[in-house]
Amino acid sequence: MDTKDLAYFRKLLEDLKLETLKELEEDQEIDATKNHLPDDNDVASVQYEQAFKIRMAERNRKYLKKIDKAISKIDNGTYGICEECDNEISFDRLKARPVATVCIECKIELEKEEKSAN
Ligand SMILES: [Zn+2]
């Protein structure tokens, strides 16, 4: 991958990181303002909402790790190279999923393995 493409993906990843961090912060702010006890009718929906938020926050934290990993790959020159087969991951795939660490062929194979393991 040339330096122009790398700069493009670095910017993309940094924007994603800021966005994800902002989402995490906003979730925490909402929780902090919700210190009042809900009435009975609200309990179920509040519990549902919080479970949903916890899942989202977990997802965002995992995503942040992937973003950081991708940025460090740009730094050490391995960004865009499939971790499974060492081929280049296609530009379109990276554009759609900048944190991808395997090419689409390997992704399909890995998913097949996952399915057969279950
Ligand atoms: Zn591959």
Side-chain angles (χ1 to χ4, degrees):
M1 197 177 285
D2 62 33
T3 39
K4 198 178 110 262
D5 288 344
L6 283 174
Y8 169 82
F9 282 116
R10 183 188 291 274
K11 173 87 175 67
L12 208 66
L13 286 159
E14 276 166 2
D15 287 349
L16 269 178
K17 187 175 176 173
L18 286 178
E19 231 172 78
T20 311
L21 280 171
K22 215 175 125 216
E23 258 178 49
L24 273 171
E25 263 170 37
E26 276 166 11
D27 281 350
Q28 275 156 9
E29 272 167 33
I30 293 163
D31 284 345
T33 57
K34 262 199 188 154
N35 279 330
H36 70 278
L37 286 171
D39 59 51
D40 287 347
N41 292 334
D42 280 345
V43 171
S45 69
V46 167
Q47 278 173 345
Y48 175 81
E49 204 183 309
Q50 290 204 329
F52 177 76
K53 263 187 212 148
I54 290 166
R55 272 206 307 276
M56 284 295 290
E58 263 169 27
R59 204 188 68 115
N60 277 336
R61 273 189 211 104
K62 274 187 199 154
Y63 196 44
L64 272 179
K65 274 190 197 149
K66 287 181 184 172
I67 294 170
D68 279 337
K69 194 179 159 194
I71 292 173
S72 71
K73 276 169 171 281
I74 291 178
D75 290 336
N76 67 26
T78 58
Y79 183 74
I81 296 165
C82 175
E83 286 182 353
E84 292 289 319
C85 69
D86 287 340
N87 283 330
E88 276 188 23
I89 303 170
S90 77
F91 191 85
D92 285 342
R93 170 157 166 75
L94 286 172
K95 216 168 145 185
R97 190 165 168 73
V99 296
T101 55
V102 294
C103 69
I104 193 70
E105 287 83 3
C106 290
K107 174 81 184 158
I108 291 165
E109 280 304 310
L110 287 170
E111 272 171 7
K112 265 190 219 161
E113 275 171 34
E114 253 170 52
K115 267 180 202 151
S116 62
N118 286 334

